[in-house]
Structure formats: C-alpha cells, structure tokens
C-alpha cells in the first residue's frame, strides 16, 4: 500500500476546511451592519433638521452586538444638538462613516452640539463638522456683551476605546473637540480650522482622561491648538501643525483647591507657526493641590511665537480672585529637548514659577531660539533645573 492513498482521505477534508475558514472568517468580519442616515429620514438639503434620523440610526446600531456602521453620505445635513448615549447600547463597535458635512444650528442656544456619553468602542471616520460660528464670534468680538456662549462641536465624555480619524472640524462656536473623563482615545489625521480671531475655539481639549493619543493633525484656530486640563495622564501628542492659535497648553490648572494633577505628557514633532505661545504650562495664582509632572516637549519647530517656551504660574485674568496669591500647583520634571525656532518677543524662554511651589527638575537640552536673528533672553523666577548640550538663549537656572 502506498502511503499517499492512506493520507489523502484526511488531507482532502482538512484542506477543504482550511479553504472554507479562509473565505468565511474575513467575510464574517466584513459584513458589518450598515445604517444609512438617509434611510431614517435625514435630508442632505442643509436646512431640514436631521437629528432624529441620526439618533434612530444610533439606536438601531446599538441594538446589535455585531459591528455596525452608520453612513452619512455626501451632502450637507443640518443636525440639531444630539447626545449619543451609551447606557442602552449593547454594541462595542459602532463606526460613523461620514462622506458629507454635518451643519450645526446657528441659533447658538445650546452649549453642546454633538455629544457621546458613556460609549465604548465608537469610531468617527472622515467627514466635516461645520459649527457655523462666525456670527457668534463677531458678536463676542464686538464687545457689546450679551452674546450666547455657543456650543462645543464634538465631545466625548465618560467613554472609552474611541477613534476619531480624518475628520475636519470648521468654524466651531466654542471648543472644537473635547475629550472629557475618557480612556483610550486616538485622534488621528484631524483638521481644525477657524479664524485666528475666533474666541474660545480651542482645537482639541483633553481633561480627566488617560491614554489619549493625538497624531498627525493640523490645527488653525483662535485659541489653544491643544489644551490639557486637570486629571490628564498618559497623553501622547505627535506630528501636529499649529497656527494660528495660542499654541499647545497644559492648563489653565489650579483654579480649584481640590484638583487632579497632570502627569506623563509627551509632545513630539510639532510645528507652531505665528502662534501666541509655543509650549506653555499655565496655572492660576491660587491655592491648589494640583500638580504637573513628567512632561516632555521634544523636537519642536517654533516660528515667530510671542512666547515660545513659557511656564506662567501667575495667571489671574482681570485680577479677579487671585491678586497677591501664589499658585499651589507644583511643577516638576519638565524636559524641553531639541526645540528650535524664532521668538516674536525678546524673552524666548520664560519660567515664571510659583514662589510657594518653585518649579523643579526643568531640563533644557539642545534648545535654540532667536529673536530678530539675534540672541534672545531667558527669564527665571523660582525655577530650578539643568541645561544640557547647546542652549540658546543661555539658561537662567
Ligand atoms: C506614559 O504614557 C504613555 C502613553 O502616552 C504610556 O505608554 C506609558 O506607559 C506611560 N508611562 C507611565 C510610567 O505610566
């Protein structure tokens, strides 16, 4: 008996099984349920409120446990304020696939436009969010007062395992994107655009969150490009182009006495052009238990920022509630490594720390910032640290 004739009855069914599995497993994953918002009554006419269609599609997707996609086709969809809640949602893989534009209501009556709350495993891919903020900014800039505050464009709150990719947020009324009390969030390839004079239009604001990564994004706006609020830990920011805007800012922190600290933040390979600040840490001049520790700013190019490197612990807008007080926020172990560029003012490096809690463990390594092609200045107040490699302006520790 030849050995092959005995083996073949086993080999053939095994091969068949392998082939079946090969074709079926990827197909099972690919057959995500899809829900087109137009099938729920959304109108791409730019003026019919499609909020109900969006919440109906969300409810359908939530009822499933297999992956689901909510499709927003090309066109302009006016969408009133919506909260996508996760409490009744069984689905841990819902993806919004947006080809068109979502348009915010322009009555400015709400503080939030699109909110995701208590969700797990939500992605937003592509699309444009148009906040229609222009006339609100004009009202605020006119100085006549009594303007509504306006809405944050997109907020994730108390959520986890979130992906936001390839999204454009334009002309937000207030903050563009807010990540609040979340875990494991990735923001990638996002574009934020708003006028350089638009008030309070922060690009991406992170607070109370851990494991947030922001990659490869372009932010042009009227306030901070990225702002980091209390209770943020394990934040990674890389490949960001910022400007116009107020720069990348940790803070304001320490407004409240009992406030969570900020820890383990990496800001890497960023370009800041024509911004008010470059790399900033800012705290209120008030008592607080908050802290900032283990921060690294690495490989930054700064073009003509008014304050390229700044720690400001004497923040006290309108001298209200803080004059003659010292910040309770302890700032330690902050590294500036390989930072190059130009300053729009003579003082390119400014460490204005708290007399009560001096900054410690500040490290400057290979920093070169000039002012009008000349040597710039560094200013230190209650700051201690080390300079390594080539540091210009010469450090003031
Ligand atoms: C710091 O945060 C990064 C993510 O940004 C994480 O990978 C790393 O483990 C964190 N380090 C510590 C000591 O927690």
């Amino acid at each position: 008996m030849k050995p092959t004739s005995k083996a073949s009855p086993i080999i053939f069914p095994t091969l068949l099984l392998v082939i079946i599995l090969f074709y079926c497993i990827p197909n099972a994953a690919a057959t995500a349920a899809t829900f087109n918002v137009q099938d729920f009554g959304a109108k791409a006419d730019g003026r019919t409120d499609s909020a109900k269609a969006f919440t109906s599609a969300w409810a359908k997707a939530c009822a499933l446990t297999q992956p689901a996609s909510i499709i927003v086709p090309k066109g302009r969809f006016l969408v009133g304020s919506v909260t996508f809640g996760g409490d009744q949602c069984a689905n841990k893989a819902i993806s919004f696939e947006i080809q068109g534009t979502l348009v915010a209501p322009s009555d400015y009556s709400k503080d939030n436009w699109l909110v995701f709350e208590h969700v797990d495993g939500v992605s937003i891919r592509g699309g444009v969010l148009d906040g229609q903020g222009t006339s609100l900014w004009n009202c605020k800039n006119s100085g006549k007062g009594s303007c509504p505050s306006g809405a944050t464009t997109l907020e994730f709150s108390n959520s986890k395992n979130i992906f936001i990719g390839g999204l454009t947020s334009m002309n937000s009324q207030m903050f563009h994107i807010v990540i609040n009390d979340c875990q494991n969030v990735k923001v990638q390839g996002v574009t934020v655009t708003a006028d350089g004079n638009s008030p309070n239009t922060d690009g991406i604001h992170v607070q109370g969150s851990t494991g947030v990564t922001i990659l490869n994004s372009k932010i042009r706006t009227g306030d901070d490009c990225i702002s980091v609020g209390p209770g943020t830990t394990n934040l990674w920011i890389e490949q960001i182009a910022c400007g116009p805007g107020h720069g990348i800012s940790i803070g304001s922190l320490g407004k409240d006495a009992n406030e969570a600290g900020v820890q383990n933040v990496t800001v890497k390979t960023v370009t800041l052009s024509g911004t008010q600040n470059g790399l900033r840490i800012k705290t209120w001049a008030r008592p607080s238990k908050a802290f900032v520790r283990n921060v690294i700013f690495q490989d930054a190019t700064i073009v003509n920022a008014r304050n390229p490197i700044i720690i400001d612990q004497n923040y006290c807008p309108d001298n209200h509630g803080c004059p003659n007080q010292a910040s309770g926020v302890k700032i330690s172990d902050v590294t500036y490594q390989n930072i190059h560029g130009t300053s729009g003012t003579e003082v390119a490096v400014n460490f204005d720390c708290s007399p009560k809690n001096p900054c410690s463990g500040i490290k400057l390594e290979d920093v070169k910032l000039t002012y009008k092609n000349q040597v710039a200045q560094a200013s230190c107040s209650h700051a201690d640290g080390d300079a390594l490699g080539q540091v210009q302006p010469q450090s003031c520790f």
Side-chain angles (χ1 to χ4, degrees), residues 234-236 264:
N234 301 2
L235 171 64
W236 190 280
N264 186 19

Side-chain angles (χ1 to χ4, degrees), residues 66-119:
Q66 89 200 78
S69 297
I70 295 173
I71 313 289
V72 182
K74 287 206 173 80
R76 286 174 69 79
F77 296 88
L78 177 68
V79 180
S81 285
V82 191
T83 298
F84 299 96
D87 284 335
Q88 312 293 324
C89 192
N91 204 330
K92 303 239 182 309
I94 299 181
S95 178
F96 280 78
E97 312 282 341
I98 311 177
Q99 282 125 38
T101 300
L102 276 61
V103 181
S106 50
D107 61 1
Y108 309 134
S109 62
K110 297 277 170 36
D111 290 342
N112 280 286
W113 178 23
L114 307 168
V115 180
F116 289 84
E117 218 168 55
H118 299 116
V119 301

Side-chain angles (χ1 to χ4, degrees), residues 47-218:
R47 50 195 173 81
T48 310
D49 187 350
S50 298
K52 278 219 174 72
F54 278 70
T55 45
S56 304
W58 172 256
K60 285 280 186 201
C62 278
L64 302 176
T65 50
Q66 89 200 78
S69 297
I70 295 173
I71 313 289
V72 182
K74 287 206 173 80
R76 286 174 69 79
F77 296 88
L78 177 68
V79 180
S81 285
V82 191
T83 298
F84 299 96
D87 284 335
Q88 312 293 324
C89 192
N91 204 330
K92 303 239 182 309
I94 299 181
S95 178
F96 280 78
E97 312 282 341
I98 311 177
Q99 282 125 38
T101 300
L102 276 61
V103 181
S106 50
D107 61 1
Y108 309 134
S109 62
K110 297 277 170 36
D111 290 342
N112 280 286
W113 178 23
L114 307 168
V115 180
F116 289 84
E117 218 168 55
H118 299 116
V119 301
D120 182 355
V122 169
S123 305
I124 297 181
R125 296 168 198 276
V128 178
L129 307 179
D130 181 352
Q132 301 219 83
T134 333
S135 53
L136 177 64
W137 312 333
N138 291 343
C139 174
K140 289 180 177 178
N141 285 336
S142 74
K144 288 185 191 130
S146 74
C147 311
S149 64
T152 290
T153 288
L154 173 65
E155 175 163 336
F156 278 89
S157 197
N158 289 288
S159 295
K160 58 186 176 187
N161 308 318
I162 305 305
F163 177 79
I164 303 171
L167 177 74
T168 297
S169 175
M170 60 186 284
N171 299 341
S172 186
Q173 297 163 22
M174 281 281 288
F175 290 15
H176 286 259
I177 297 172
V178 171
I179 312 291
N180 175 43
D181 292 338
C182 291
Q183 286 161 44
N184 187 27
V185 178
K186 189 166 178 180
V187 178
Q188 188 169 23
V190 159
T191 304
V192 169
T193 61
D195 192 88
N197 286 319
S198 56
N200 303 117
T201 53
D202 292 39
I204 302 172
H205 177 75
V206 181
Q207 64 176 31
S209 297
T210 190
V212 177
T213 306
I214 304 170
L215 301 176
N216 194 24
S217 295
K218 286 197 184 75

